[in-house]
Amino acid sequence: MTIEADVAKVAEQEAALVFPAFDEAAAFAIGAAIKADAEAKGSRLAIDVRLWDRPLFFFAMPGTSFDNAEWIRRKSNCVRRYGRPSYAISLRLRQKSGTTLFAADDGVDPMEIAAHGGSFPIRVKGAGIVGAITVSGVPGRDDHGFVVRAIAGHLGLDAAALAFAPE
């Protein structure tokens, strides 16, 4: 895995994972799909699906903590501010400075925004980004993968074709 390969794959994912519409039923289906995927892989995740004006789905699996909910909030804020997956911002920062920390002149409060994988924009055709789907519980690249697989499955796309190359 190289940063450049992941940057290219995230761009491909962003272009493909656009919803024709999004509602409460879609939020529940995607949240439940992430939960089932995590259970099948033996992972413990906190899962959040939200529109910018309200949460639609939240589930914290056994073994998660308040910290996971805080990571979700901060990663979702990253998507809201930058309009890109939090993993894309993480990769950009790593390319620029070798770290996932924002520079002082970026004007980012690290207690409010986290550039770590796991939050993906809910992009609706004709409407733009209306919210985010976010998970926390495993390393950021893997968190990101859980969300991508669930969105791809919901949209009837081949999740394997949108997956990262193994590390």
Side-chain angles (χ1 to χ4, degrees):
M1 179 276 308
T2 66
I3 290 175
E4 292 73 21
D6 276 10
V7 166
K9 184 55 76 171
V10 171
E12 181 184 342
Q13 293 165 349
E14 287 181 277
L17 300 177
V18 178
F19 294 89
F22 195 87
D23 61 14
E24 293 80 359
F28 184 84
I30 291 167
I34 293 169
K35 177 183 177 287
D37 188 18
E39 287 172 339
K41 290 179 173 36
S43 297
R44 298 173 178 162
L45 300 177
I47 306 157
D48 180 82
V49 183
R50 70 179 47 245
L51 298 178
W52 294 139
D53 68 342
R54 70 191 192 282
L56 300 179
F57 180 97
F58 183 86
F59 185 79
M61 298 176 76
T64 61
S65 71
F66 176 77
D67 283 341
N68 296 107
E70 276 298 292
W71 277 104
I72 281 173
R73 182 184 66 79
R74 293 169 56 223
K75 291 182 205 183
S76 179
N77 284 345
C78 186
V79 170
R80 189 168 192 169
R81 174 153 180 183
Y82 293 101
R84 306 273 325 274
S86 57
Y87 188 55
I89 303 305
S90 172
L91 292 168
R92 186 193 75 184
L93 289 171
R94 286 173 48 203
Q95 283 179 312
K96 182 177 167 183
S97 65
T99 180
T100 58
L101 300 175
F102 290 96
D105 62 354
D106 287 331
V108 173
D109 180 347
M111 295 307 296
E112 296 300 319
I113 296 176
H116 294 276
S119 189
F120 201 94
I122 299 169
R123 186 181 312 272
V124 177
K125 185 175 182 173
I129 298 171
V130 299
I133 301 166
T134 311
V135 303
S136 173
V138 294
R141 187 176 193 256
D142 298 330
D143 278 344
H144 179 91
F146 276 105
V147 177
V148 167
R149 282 191 299 279
I151 297 172
H154 184 79
L155 295 174
L157 301 174
D158 181 5
L162 293 170
F164 293 124
E167 288 189 86

